[in-house]
Amino acid sequence: MKMKNTLFTLSALWVVGAQSAVATTIFESKDILTPQQALGRYQWLQTCYPSLLIELADQILDPTIPRSGEQKQEELKQVLLYKNNQLKSDAKYITFGDENGQNPQRWYAGKSPTDSCVSIPSDYAVSALMIASELPQYCAVASREKGYEFIKSVTVSDLANESGATFYSNYVGKAAKVYKDRSYQLALTPGFVNNEKYPETWHVFVDWNRDGDFSDTDETHFAGVSDSTVNYQLTPPAGTQPGLTKMRITMDYLGGSNDACKEIDSGEVEDYMFYIK
Ligand SMILES: [Ca+2]
Ligand SMILES: [Ca+2]
């Protein structure tokens, strides 16, 4: 573990929120966490890299008060994450990067205490204290059947995610960077459980106006029907503003729906994040 010669002084730590992050290299790291995940990050560090937290505590807490290592960790946890014993909506968490604060290896620290301890890349260090970002609560949706087909891969802009079969997956933290005045080619690939292929219907929903739903004009995209990869050109509507939002993808053997909140019959639903620039 390499933490001794880090950027670990507060003056070198940027504190960034989702909005200001757009203008910095942190934008590129895409390490965007909800308050709950920020807590998970802290707990993961407590399990895997406790000395790193103690080092940070020594920077932040009053050095004239003697504390044990465990007390330092607990106090730092309160400072970063809690207010009046409640998890803060602007909870802070540690992110990592290379000496320029960038993430060329696409490495991410854990987001929950149960994530396994993976080593920090040797040329990485703590690069910033990030402010957690709470997306609106979107309508819940899932598929009824995942035993035949599923969403195997989603690619758009700099996002590429391969996955197995679930009824619903919420890929918070997996974000695609999207410039509001450009078009993007989405590639959507189905997977089949028994290697028997079926034509699948794809819908893509983006909350372009970031009001917490997928029901505004231009937010529903019918992407096509195929038993192999569907390519769909996605263009942000005129007037789209920069910021963080959500993309939902549904794949359904029985046709799916124009309604992003309607349960689908056989297939999968996956949610991602869009970082609109
Ligand atoms: Ca999947
Ligand atoms: Ca909307």
Side-chain angles (χ1 to χ4, degrees):
M1 176 181 117
K2 162 225 183 220
M3 271 302 138
K4 279 298 153 207
N5 55 343
T6 63
L7 308 172
F8 227 177
T9 61
L10 258 193
S11 58
L13 281 177
W14 311 323
V15 180
V16 291
Q19 292 307 319
S20 62
V22 172
T24 74
T25 51
I26 293 301
F27 175 84
E28 310 297 337
S29 87
K30 298 190 297 185
D31 188 25
I32 313 295
L33 305 188
T34 65
Q36 196 58 43
Q37 290 174 325
L39 172 59
R41 169 69 50 87
Y42 195 89
Q43 293 167 328
W44 181 84
L45 287 165
Q46 280 186 298
T47 304
C48 302
Y49 294 100
S51 63
L52 190 156
L53 295 175
I54 292 168
E55 218 178 309
L56 181 58
D58 287 339
Q59 298 283 337
I60 291 181
L61 306 177
D62 181 352
T64 63
I65 303 169
R67 301 169 176 87
S68 69
E70 283 192 0
Q71 285 169 328
K72 286 178 185 176
Q73 286 186 54
E74 195 49 43
E75 234 177 283
L76 181 65
K77 189 177 178 181
Q78 292 297 324
V79 169
L80 296 181
L81 294 155
Y82 290 94
K83 188 175 185 182
N84 302 329
N85 292 320
Q86 298 278 330
L87 188 60
K88 295 192 282 194
S89 61
D90 62 344
K92 294 178 186 63
Y93 60 96
I94 292 168
T95 194
F96 297 81
D98 66 9
E99 60 180 5
N100 300 314
Q102 292 183 324
N103 184 14
Q105 298 192 39
R106 292 178 172 239
W107 181 88
Y108 296 105
K111 287 183 283 201
S112 100
T114 54
D115 286 348
S116 63
C117 295
V118 287
S119 54
I120 299 169
S122 59
D123 55 339
Y124 276 33
V126 170
S127 66
L129 271 180
M130 300 279 280
I131 298 169
S133 177
E134 192 79 278
L135 279 176
Q137 215 43 36
Y138 286 82
C139 59
V141 67
S143 106
R144 273 195 283 268
E145 172 63 61
K146 64 180 176 72
Y148 298 93
E149 59 264 288
F150 59 95
I151 297 176
K152 185 181 177 193
S153 140
V154 171
T155 307
V156 56
S157 184
D158 56 342
L159 166 74
N161 189 46
E162 292 230 1
S163 63
T166 65
F167 296 111
Y168 167 79
S169 282
N170 188 11
Y171 292 110
V172 174
K174 295 236 177 194
K177 179 172 62 178
V178 168
Y179 290 87
K180 60 187 167 66
D181 51 359
R182 291 188 203 165
S183 290
Y184 292 87
Q185 199 73 13
L186 260 165
L188 306 168
T189 305
F192 297 100
V193 175
N194 300 312
N195 280 329
E196 275 179 59
K197 291 185 161 196
Y198 306 98
E200 304 296 336
T201 303
W202 295 85
H203 286 86
V204 177
F205 306 91
V206 183
D207 181 17
W208 292 115
N209 68 352
R210 298 164 51 223
D211 66 346
D213 65 41
F214 300 108
S215 52
D216 296 282
T217 311
D218 300 326
E219 292 191 334
T220 297
H221 304 263
F222 169 72
V225 183
S226 176
D227 65 1
S228 59
T229 299
V230 159
N231 291 295
Y232 177 74
Q233 185 170 309
L234 191 68
T235 306
T240 298
Q241 296 297 311
L244 196 61
T245 195
K246 194 154 205 168
M247 170 176 69
R248 170 166 294 172
I249 293 176
T250 66
M251 188 200 87
D252 190 359
Y253 171 63
L254 288 170
S257 171
N258 282 329
D259 181 350
C261 305
K262 190 163 180 284
E263 190 177 51
I264 65 164
D265 285 296
S266 185
E268 192 172 5
V269 181
E270 294 185 351
D271 282 357
Y272 294 91
M273 290 163 86
F274 260 20
Y275 228 149
I276 303 169
K277 259 186 127 165

